[in-house]
Amino acid sequence: MKALIHGLVKLAGLRPQTVEIEPGTVMNFWAPKETKPKNQTHTADRKPTKPVVVLAHPFAGDGILMWFPQVLALTSQYNVYVPDLIFFGGSTTSRPDRSAEFQAECLARGLRKLGVEKCTVVGLSYGGMVGFKMAAMYPELVEALVASSTVIEMTESIANRSQKKIGISQWSDLLLPETVEGVKFLFTVGTHKGPWLPDFVYKQCLEA
């Protein structure tokens, strides 16, 4: 399935690109093929020619697996950028920082290295929290924000209420399952009337 999705996204004009944010920190983007960075320290030679939309993914999988239907729908009118947030997909860091602010900083610096000067950020769940941080930290970069199924910031009181509603004792039980049944439970929380899937699909998700 991943190979098929990657093929469709490439036909839509996007290519995977790895951007060095700083030594020890790299961020993977699916970006328009003409906006490759000049090198790891300078911005791209070519600027986006259409309005820029950045799709920030939730706490699951990687960016392109979450957003490929939207990519296919939007690329005719927009330059679409789909990052893997740090610790997801191809994005890694040697820094110990785990905050949404750090994610926002890396995303903003990566976009600028790809030649983006203004953008609309679309964030789902965790991606929405990163989007709020990025809009607050870089108002000259983020001209609009679309946020779905998210909060401005995950406070302790919101986290506690949400855990009680879902029926879990700690977030890692939900977000980092250790069994196939745990993956199924995660899917039921994260989707509304999702399709039936055989166990081997959940098992592959668990292993990945």
Side-chain angles (χ1 to χ4, degrees), residues 89-145:
S91 300
T92 61
T93 186
S94 58
R95 282 175 55 175
D97 199 331
R98 301 292 186 266
S99 66
E101 289 90 345
F102 177 56
Q103 294 278 16
E105 176 193 345
C106 291
L107 180 51
R109 290 173 67 180
L111 288 168
R112 283 179 170 148
K113 289 195 174 190
L114 290 169
V116 175
E117 295 176 349
K118 282 193 175 296
C119 64
T120 293
V121 177
V122 180
L124 174 62
S125 188
Y126 179 62
M129 287 190 280
V130 174
F132 280 121
K133 291 294 182 186
M134 194 165 114
M137 294 165 65
Y138 306 97
E140 74 288 351
L141 174 63
V142 181
E143 59 182 354
L145 174 65

Side-chain angles (χ1 to χ4, degrees), residues 3-13 68 72:
L4 174 62
I5 290 171
H6 286 186
L8 290 171
V9 172
K10 286 178 180 178
L11 286 175
F68 78 90
L72 301 180

Side-chain angles (χ1 to χ4, degrees), residues 129-178:
M129 287 190 280
V130 174
F132 280 121
K133 291 294 182 186
M134 194 165 114
M137 294 165 65
Y138 306 97
E140 74 288 351
L141 174 63
V142 181
E143 59 182 354
L145 174 65
V146 180
S148 177
S149 304
T150 190
V151 292
I152 294 176
E153 188 159 11
M154 181 60 79
T155 63
E156 187 175 357
S157 61
I158 291 173
N160 290 340
R161 286 200 305 272
S162 299
Q163 284 179 212
K164 187 178 293 186
K165 183 177 180 180
I166 295 169
I168 55 173
S169 59
Q170 55 187 5
W171 282 107
S172 59
D173 293 342
L174 175 70
L175 297 174
L176 299 170
E178 297 181 353

Side-chain angles (χ1 to χ4, degrees), residues 23-37:
T25 301
V26 296
M27 198 163 200
N28 183 65
F29 287 82
W30 282 82
K33 58 186 177 183
E34 67 272 14
T35 58
K36 281 189 176 181

